[in-house]
Structure formats: structure tokens, C-alpha cells
Amino acid sequence: MRPGPLSSPVPGSTVGIALLHPDSGLPLAPRLGTADTAAAHRRPRAGGADVDELLRLDSAPPVFTFRDPQQNLLVVVEDGPGA
């Protein structure tokens, strides 16, 4: 069994911290929240960025990954109501 993430909100902030084990199978990368992953997915693609598929899973909010010009991985996840 792979360890899952441990997540906790930062008191007095809208920022959360998620601790991921390297063997979790989840990408170890900064996560950026958005209310609309579909719109957030279109913007970097239109600019020619290296953007992966937008994933819509039953067990998690919509999410996608992309790489910045230095090839750093970033994760964008929907964090709005109903996510």
C-alpha cells in the first residue's frame, strides 16, 4: 500500500500544506488552486506551454500538470465549491 498525502490548512490563511511521500505516486510539485480548471488549462496551452491532459476523476477534483520554461513541474487543481 502506498502512503497517502497528509494535508492541513495553515491557521488564519487560505494556504494548505500537503506532505507527500515520495512513493505516493503523486507528482511532487507545487499545487496551484483555481476555481475553473478548464479555463486555467486553456491559457498555458494557448501560449505553447508543455501542458498535460486535464484529468477529471470521480474520486478527486479536476487537475492537470504543466512545466514552466525551466521544466519545473506545477500542478493545478480545482478548489472551488463542489471540488
Side-chain angles (χ1 to χ4, degrees):
M1 176 189 291
R2 291 184 172 172
L6 172 64
S7 153
S8 175
V10 175
S13 173
T14 59
V15 174
I17 296 174
L19 303 175
L20 301 175
H21 191 279
D23 295 334
S24 71
L26 298 171
L28 300 177
R31 272 136 175 86
L32 309 170
T34 181
D36 185 351
T37 49
H41 188 251
R42 284 189 299 271
R43 283 189 294 269
R45 287 180 68 102
D50 183 7
V51 181
D52 295 320
E53 177 183 358
L54 174 60
L55 301 176
R56 296 178 185 276
L57 307 172
D58 291 336
S59 60
V63 62
F64 69 93
T65 57
F66 72 100
R67 278 144 299 285
D68 69 12
Q70 292 77 35
Q71 295 304 300
N72 296 302
L73 185 68
L74 299 148
V75 178
V76 179
V77 62
E78 192 160 305
D79 62 2

